[in-house]
Amino acid sequence: MIFLTIGTHEPFDRLIRAVDEWYGRRQGSPALFGQITEPRADAYRPQHFEWVSRLTPAEYSARMERSSLIVSHAGMGSIITALHGGKPIVVMPRRGHLRETRNDHQYTTVKMLGGRPGIYVAEDETCLAAVMDRAIADIGTTSAPRIAAFAEDKFTEPLRAFLIGQNSNTP
């Protein structure tokens, strides 16, 4: 199963429409399910796959676990959750100039993470179909790395030492 998730705060019609159009043209694809937030009255509603606006945390975890591919906005929560579960993820960033988010932090995220194992980047809707096809072709041939639930000590120890050092100078 493919699991599309766009976060819980804002709609992302551009991604939803692109995935829906891709899925409507594709033959023999795995099942696709989407969690797409509560659509506005004028929002795009998928025609080719099942979706809901909200999932409970348990339902979300179950969908994530059963999925062979995650498709998402480029939010770090979705990316970390997918990689923690060892799931490959296709990400497309929300863009500030399109008023999908407040700035281009998601675009910066995909620039930094693109090319890493298990992360497939579609910079915009024009290349999403090709990226989806590549990610599906890779299912079962490559594995997404599993990341730990917590940062490694080699990261946290210097940070802890810095913070403790900063705090020791304050009354």
Side-chain angles (χ1 to χ4, degrees):
M1 176 178 79
I2 301 169
F3 180 39
L4 168 66
T5 179
I6 64 162
T8 57
H9 299 301
E10 302 174 53
F12 193 10
D13 286 356
R14 195 164 52 94
L15 175 60
I16 296 165
R17 181 186 310 273
V19 170
D20 194 40
E21 290 172 358
W22 167 83
Y23 195 70
R25 292 189 305 269
R26 186 155 169 95
Q27 299 293 320
S29 288
L32 173 62
F33 180 84
Q35 176 269 313
I36 65 170
T37 75
E38 189 62 42
R40 299 175 315 271
D42 63 339
Y44 182 81
R45 287 171 169 72
Q47 306 299 308
H48 302 288
F49 63 88
E50 182 184 354
W51 61 275
V52 296
S53 58
R54 298 266 183 226
L55 293 169
T56 67
E59 291 168 330
Y60 185 90
S61 293
R63 293 279 182 181
M64 187 71 72
E65 182 61 34
R66 289 194 311 261
S67 298
S68 56
L69 178 66
I70 310 304
V71 180
S72 179
H73 66 132
M76 286 308 300
S78 297
I79 294 168
I80 289 169
T81 300
L83 295 179
H84 180 67
K87 306 292 181 175
I89 185 168
V90 172
V91 292
M92 188 174 98
R94 296 176 189 265
R95 298 302 308 264
H97 71 280
L98 297 174
R99 297 179 186 237
E100 294 167 335
T101 189
R102 65 189 174 282
N103 56 37
D104 270 340
H105 68 283
Q106 288 193 7
Y107 186 73
T108 302
T109 296
V110 300
K111 287 298 193 185
M112 297 300 293
L113 296 179
R116 293 178 187 255
I119 301 175
Y120 297 84
V121 172
E123 287 192 19
D124 62 34
E125 67 278 15
T126 65
C127 61
L128 182 82
V131 173
M132 293 288 295
D133 289 341
R134 190 172 82 243
I136 286 179
D138 286 351
I139 293 173
T141 63
T142 61
S143 61
R146 279 189 183 266
I147 60 171
F150 300 100
E152 297 177 11
D153 286 344
K154 69 181 180 182
F155 173 75
T156 59
E157 288 305 320
L159 183 58
R160 181 177 288 117
F162 174 78
L163 292 173
I164 290 171
Q166 294 287 35
N167 288 335
S168 66
N169 294 330
T170 58

